[in-house]
Amino acid sequence: MWWYLQGFDRATEQLVHEYRLTRLNEPAIRAILNVDDDIPVEPFDFDIPTVEAVRAFIPYADEPIALDETLLYQLGCYARA
């Protein structure tokens, strides 16, 4: 399972950008998104409420991330074939 930073078009809700966050771990997710310890993290998806929170995930990617403030961002978790 990998975590992905996903950017969605606000009007169409279509996925526009997706970046794998290979270095992301559970403690970082909990800290950035303020997820309580009693709430499971995997394999759920999380809305990312602020641009600041989106920026906090950028260092966990292996490739440069082009932040687009017009998109809605989500943190997704799934396995890719």
Side-chain angles (χ1 to χ4, degrees), residues 16-27:
V16 176
H17 295 291
E18 182 173 70
Y19 303 95
R20 189 164 77 174
L21 305 175
T22 57
R23 294 185 297 272
L24 187 61
N25 57 33
E26 184 177 327

Side-chain angles (χ1 to χ4, degrees), residues 7 15 20 22 27-28 36 38 40 46 55 57 59 76 79:
L15 180 64
R20 189 164 77 174
T22 57
D36 292 334
D38 60 337
F46 293 93
R55 284 191 184 107
F57 285 109

Side-chain angles (χ1 to χ4, degrees), residues 1 6 13-15 19 21 25 31-32 35-36 38 41 44-45 50 53-54 56 62-63 70-72 75 77 79:
M1 297 290 261
Q6 302 170 317
E13 297 184 0
Q14 285 190 310
L15 180 64
Y19 303 95
L21 305 175
N25 57 33
I32 294 168
V35 177
D36 292 334
D38 60 337
V41 173
F44 298 106
D45 293 339
T50 65
V54 174
D62 284 341
E63 63 183 283
T70 66
L71 299 178
L72 293 171
L75 183 63
C77 181

Side-chain angles (χ1 to χ4, degrees), residues 4 11 19 28 40 46 48-49 51 74:
Y4 291 86
Y19 303 95
F46 293 93
I48 304 177
V51 172
Q74 186 176 58

